[in-house]
Amino acid sequence: MSGIVPAPASIELRDDAAPFRLTDDARIVARGAGAAAVAETFAARARAATGFGLPVVDGEPAASDLAFVVADGEAPGAAAEGYTLESGADGVRIGADTPEGLFRGTQSLRQLLPAEIERPDAAGEPTGGWTVPAASVADAPRFAYRGAMLDVARHFFPIEDVLRFIDAIALLKLDVLHLHLTDDQGWRIEIRSWPELTGTGASTSVGGDGGGFYSQDDYRRIVAYAAERFVTIVPEIDLPGHTNAALSAYPELNCDGVAPTPYEGTEVGFSSLCASPERAEATDRFLADVVREVAELTPGPWLHLGGDESLATSPADYRDLVRRIATAGAATGKTIIGWHEMGASRELPPGTVAQYWSFVEPEPDAAELTRSFVEQGGRVIMSPADVAYLDMQYVDDPQGPLGGRLGQDWAKGPTTIDEAYLWDPAAVVPGVGEGDLLGVEAPVWTETLGSISEVEFMVFPRIAAIAEIAWSPAGPRDVEGFFGRVAALGRHLDALGVAYYPVRGVPWVE
Ligand code: ACM
């Protein structure tokens, strides 16, 4: 079974024509700026799986070779992430205008190969050999921003877990990993000018499961690993609420000058930076230092500054703090992203992006707050919680391998894969249409998730639905066809050792 998730804009599979056969004679002929690096990333995986040499070379491709080409005019419509892929008995050729487009094309090639291509242990040729069906693909994404979010604050995930997660989402052509780096339960990124943030502030997590944080070098390693997979890291410092970890580390950030104890529960909405003029010097210095250090570590264009659930902040204090937070953020030169509540401010820096996290049927204020960003010149990332929050329980998880103890149900109950698939980001908020959208993101919150396999179990396979909404053309959705492609993806996830929940309805292959 072959099939690509997310579905390409156009694909023709010629089952009656001879396939391409990858053999030990194959070379990867890389042409154009940046093509060789993409070829090496693909070759590393394919060498490990096949045991073949697969040298990356210049020159003319033979029928046994793979040609990876970066040149103007290769991608459909000159799309930055677009590519074409041709395969058959006379070779495989992927063409793109950019290395990024070429990389996306190689993710399609992975999925057209037998799932054993994911195995790191050269366990032998699969039945039928290393074949790629005869196919013509012309592809480009619907949205530029296709994200997943990992909450590393409620539970901390070591660097190797984050790299593993990046690998898994890149297969689905996601191009953003948003790291929720700070919350009440922990501060996870080293800030050299405020060292106690990762002293006291990083000592805890939900349920007393221990602390942890990324040093600046760790974070740079994550950024570099992601960049090799054309994934941009979006760091989030959640402000002005969700700040108990910071407040516990520095008494001077508290209105009463007293540091609260570190927090290991799961309630929200009780902490806030102090808006009072007596604390203005410390608070503004904290804001400027934190956003400067985080921005300096982050080559990507975005800085997420939170803004959600500041229930312990009065509306006037909230607007004042958001103005100061956003001003500090904009001074770094980054584009600010905020959860949709930030739209309460009419003084957002130009271009500030909303992340919408209400439901597919918007709650009363959420639509208006989101439109406020658009009115101020910003665009919107869609993450409706009842379809895109991947920590929501599965419907029949009590029978599942992890016994129903994972996930939450506050976003209108459990979420089926059909629900995650059958919604249109351009039809959620009245007045926020296709052209107002930057993209789509699937967050996973970790109140109940303490290991990367638990995260993977909640994320897969539902993230395939979000990836397809973000990448594939708008239009009627064919659930059955999607389920068939998800079943093929399941074999790749098996070979990768990525945990997933075998939801009902998908024709999983043993
Ligand atoms: C959120 O779920 N509080 C953004």
Side-chain angles (χ1 to χ4, degrees), residues 2 44 69 112 146 160 175 197 215 221 231 244 276 317 325 331 347 351 371 395 410 440 450 454 473 478 482 488:
S2 56
V69 179
L112 289 171
R146 305 177 304 279
E160 297 302 334
D175 66 348
L197 291 171
S215 69
R221 203 176 136 208
V231 170
N244 192 77
S276 143
D317 284 355
I325 290 162
E347 300 174 88
R371 282 192 294 268
V395 170
W410 61 262
V440 177
E454 291 178 351
D478 165 14
F482 173 63

Side-chain angles (χ1 to χ4, degrees), residues 14 17-21 63 65 85-93 132-135:
R14 291 181 295 277
F20 173 76
R21 278 185 192 282
D65 290 341
L85 186 157
E86 295 289 335
S87 55
D90 55 354
V92 168
R93 184 181 191 282
V132 179

Side-chain angles (χ1 to χ4, degrees), residues 242 308-309 339 341 357 389 410 445:
H242 290 277
D308 58 321
E309 297 177 311
W339 299 106
E341 289 98 313
W357 66 280
Y389 270 28
W410 61 262
W445 302 94

Side-chain angles (χ1 to χ4, degrees), residues 61-402:
S64 53
D65 290 341
L66 305 157
F68 287 4
V69 179
V70 174
D72 285 346
E74 290 283 340
E81 292 182 87
Y83 68 94
T84 55
L85 186 157
E86 295 289 335
S87 55
D90 55 354
V92 168
R93 184 181 191 282
I94 305 177
D97 284 20
T98 64
E100 193 173 4
L102 181 62
F103 179 81
R104 305 296 172 224
T106 62
Q107 303 315 303
S108 292
L109 179 58
R110 276 171 78 178
Q111 294 188 36
L112 289 171
L113 278 157
E116 289 80 356
I117 196 68
E118 314 297 349
R119 292 188 56 154
D121 51 1
E125 283 226 347
T127 324
W130 295 108
T131 54
V132 179
S136 296
V137 180
D139 200 10
R142 177 177 177 189
F143 295 116
Y145 184 115
R146 305 177 304 279
M149 188 209 84
L150 181 61
D151 169 12
V152 296
R154 270 43 175 269
H155 277 100
F156 177 69
F157 294 85
I159 184 165
E160 297 302 334
D161 289 351
V162 179
L163 304 188
R164 183 183 161 85
F165 194 67
I166 290 167
D167 252 337
I169 65 171
L171 174 61
L172 295 169
K173 301 191 179 76
L174 297 188
D175 66 348
V176 169
L177 176 63
H178 164 187
L179 288 174
H180 184 76
L181 288 167
T182 71
D183 213 301
D184 292 317
Q185 297 86 350
W187 184 286
R188 308 299 182 200
I189 177 77
E190 177 189 16
I191 303 295
R192 294 202 170 144
S193 52
W194 293 72
E196 267 311 303
L197 291 171
T198 47
T200 305
S203 62
T204 46
S205 61
V206 165
D209 286 343
F213 67 93
Y214 307 117
S215 69
Q216 295 201 348
D217 282 346
D218 290 342
Y219 181 86
R220 283 194 193 92
R221 203 176 136 208
I222 292 170
V223 165
Y225 189 89
E228 275 174 26
R229 287 147 188 82
F230 297 88
V231 170
T232 298
I233 299 296
V234 173
E236 181 186 353
I237 306 297
D238 200 353
L239 303 163
H242 290 277
T243 40
N244 192 77
L247 300 173
S248 75
Y250 286 98
E252 62 266 42
L253 295 177
N254 295 272
C255 281
D256 61 4
V258 178
T261 52
Y263 183 67
E264 300 188 332
T266 58
E267 292 303 311
V268 297
F270 61 88
S271 57
S272 181
L273 290 179
C274 178
S276 143
E278 284 98 80
R279 297 288 170 213
E281 187 281 324
T283 300
D284 287 334
R285 186 161 43 82
F286 166 80
L287 291 173
D289 288 343
V290 167
V291 297
R292 187 190 64 251
E293 289 198 35
V294 173
E296 281 172 3
L297 292 169
T298 302
W302 296 294
L303 185 58
H304 199 311
L305 295 176
D308 58 321
E309 297 177 311
S310 294
L311 309 178
T313 322
S314 72
D317 284 355
Y318 180 78
R319 286 192 298 276
D320 177 48
L321 284 165
V322 165
R323 181 183 51 74
R324 291 157 60 188
I325 290 162
T327 302
T332 68
K334 301 292 184 191
T335 298
I336 309 304
I337 303 176
W339 299 106
H340 67 246
E341 289 98 313
M342 250 194 214
S345 170
R346 302 299 299 192
E347 300 174 88
L348 296 174
T352 299
V353 172
Q355 185 166 10
Y356 174 88
W357 66 280
S358 181
F359 302 126
V360 166
E361 295 285 333
E363 293 168 298
D365 290 349
E368 196 183 324
L369 290 166
T370 304
R371 282 192 294 268
S372 160
F373 287 79
V374 175
E375 287 156 12
Q376 295 179 70
R379 289 198 285 167
V380 178
I381 299 162
M382 277 290 163
S383 302
D386 49 344
V387 291
Y389 270 28
L390 299 180
D391 55 310
M392 288 301 125
Q393 285 170 352
Y394 291 103
V395 170
D396 53 354
D397 179 39
Q399 287 83 49
L402 294 175

